[in-house]
Amino acid sequence: MGIGLLGFQTTIAHSVTLSGTGVHSGAEVAITFHPAESDSGIVFQRVVGEQTISEFKAVSSQVGNTDLCTILGFSPATSIATIEHVMAAIYALGLDNLLIEVQGAEMPIMDGSSAPFIDAIEQTGIKALSVKRRYIRILKPVRIESGASWSEFTPYDGMRFEVEIDFDSPLIGRQAWKGDITPSVFKTELSRARTFGFMRDVERMWAAGRGLGSSLENSVVIADDNTVINMEGLRYKDEFVRHKTLDAVGDLALAGAPFIGCYRSYRGGHKMNANALKALMSDPTAYEIVENAPQRQRQAAREVIAVNAP
């Protein structure tokens, strides 16, 4: 394919459906990715039968609760939960326009990572459209702090994440992942990292009506003796920080356009990611909207944009 296509918006070539269990509700849910026109953005629709009961554009202003996952909407009756793993896959593969139809109140957790969504999108194919893509270029540092935790955006010629975690657990401890996000980097280094939790927290979460669909098939579970209960063990030696980075990619996808800059966080999470993004978007002097990606981003786009010329 020619380099001329790299700056154009994309969608998927055909619709594709995935189904599974909601990690918090424990209910069976199904989602269908549909192609969408240029400048549509990523749109989620919650449906019951043939009726649409809510619709949300995947942007930071629509984010509600961020305690254990990222939720679009502000009412449990109409909101759509646990979107971060889906959004990470969409963002990493450079998709700009999709309609995501949701039969249920949250995304299916699948295996607890983004890999199943990556596979589904790649199997259906990615199509270039005829309108240029826009990017959010970071112009100056924007930082937020909360106790010992902090997050910040800084100018950078690329799309970079530097995420560090620090858990009071000898199994996890202090871990860091740093790298420029390209489709191949995300697929090989981050996409298979699973969500994780501690056995000691299970009863408390169940009592609160959360984590009802969590299992060893979709979560890394840490026992009271600080060992991994899952028979297969870890997929990466530092799977914990890689999953936190995956979450950050998905949360920052709610900027509404790819960003050109570096995102750094220490002891962050969904709430920290959401608040940092809101702080950035609330300061119009901190960023600009551009149509040209830096050279390294144009090279990364070559890896996936590959089907129909506009």
Side-chain angles (χ1 to χ4, degrees):
M1 58 160 291
I3 190 119
L5 299 185
L6 299 180
F8 286 90
Q9 294 182 27
T10 63
T11 187
I12 55 174
H14 307 284
S15 297
V16 60
T17 298
L18 299 92
S19 59
T21 303
V23 70
H24 290 300
S25 66
E28 289 301 305
V29 295
I31 61 172
T32 301
F33 297 101
H34 295 291
E37 297 296 321
S38 302
D39 290 331
S40 299
I42 309 300
V43 176
F44 287 80
Q45 286 183 344
R46 182 170 170 180
V47 299
V48 177
E50 299 297 321
Q51 181 181 4
T52 300
I53 63 172
S54 60
E55 180 174 296
F56 304 99
K57 196 161 187 176
V59 292
S60 60
S61 62
Q62 297 300 305
V63 174
N65 194 305
T66 53
D67 286 343
L68 294 174
C69 63
T70 297
I71 298 176
L72 293 176
F74 304 91
S75 167
T78 57
S79 62
I80 300 174
T82 326
I83 65 166
E84 57 270 14
H85 302 170
V86 172
M87 289 302 299
I90 290 169
Y91 192 70
L93 291 181
L95 281 168
D96 304 287
N97 306 288
L98 281 177
L99 173 62
I100 304 174
E101 191 178 77
V102 186
Q103 293 274 359
E106 62 180 321
M107 299 293 101
I109 191 61
M110 310 306 285
D111 71 344
S113 77
S114 286
F117 306 114
I118 293 280
D119 293 343
I121 291 168
E122 290 193 326
Q123 287 175 18
T124 193
I126 297 176
K127 180 173 69 174
L129 301 172
S130 58
V131 175
K132 287 186 176 181
R133 173 183 291 129
R134 290 175 290 275
Y135 298 83
I136 297 171
R137 186 194 301 276
I138 309 301
L139 299 178
K140 69 178 187 181
V142 174
R143 181 183 175 101
I144 65 168
E145 299 180 2
S146 177
S149 303
W150 56 265
S151 297
E152 68 177 2
F153 289 93
T154 57
Y156 180 75
D157 186 23
M159 185 193 302
R160 185 171 180 82
F161 282 76
E162 299 182 359
V163 175
E164 186 172 1
I165 61 175
D166 191 357
F167 278 77
D168 184 18
S169 162
L171 178 66
I172 304 177
R174 195 162 183 167
Q175 299 181 0
W177 188 91
K178 301 177 181 180
D180 288 15
I181 298 297
T182 68
S184 62
V185 166
F186 184 84
K187 284 172 60 179
T188 59
E189 298 194 27
L190 299 175
S191 72
R192 297 180 64 249
R194 297 161 293 175
T195 190
F196 62 92
F198 294 87
M199 181 61 74
R200 64 175 180 259
D201 296 329
V202 169
E203 290 187 4
R204 176 180 55 82
M205 290 184 63
W206 285 351
R210 309 300 293 273
L212 301 178
S214 181
S215 72
L216 295 178
E217 295 180 354
N218 56 45
S219 305
V220 176
V221 181
I222 303 165
D224 293 341
D225 63 355
N226 285 293
T227 59
V228 173
I229 294 177
N230 308 62
M231 291 294 292
E232 70 173 287
L234 297 176
R235 293 178 175 177
Y236 309 91
K237 182 179 179 181
D238 55 352
E239 186 168 359
F240 307 103
V241 72
R242 289 176 191 251
H243 185 79
K244 286 292 189 180
T245 306
L246 182 157
D247 280 345
V249 172
D251 290 340
L252 297 193
L254 296 164
F259 74 87
I260 302 170
C262 177
Y263 179 69
R264 303 172 63 224
S265 71
Y266 173 69
R267 295 181 63 180
H270 297 302
K271 183 172 292 187
M272 203 77 180
N273 297 334
N275 288 340
L277 184 55
K278 288 177 180 178
L280 173 70
M281 303 308 291
S282 65
D283 184 355
T285 69
Y287 66 92
E288 64 178 349
I289 307 299
V290 298
E291 286 189 346
N292 294 320
Q295 180 65 24
R296 69 184 67 199
Q297 290 302 107
R298 294 199 296 270
Q299 292 297 324
R302 269 196 247 192
E303 303 170 5
V304 291
I305 302 175
V307 274
N308 296 329

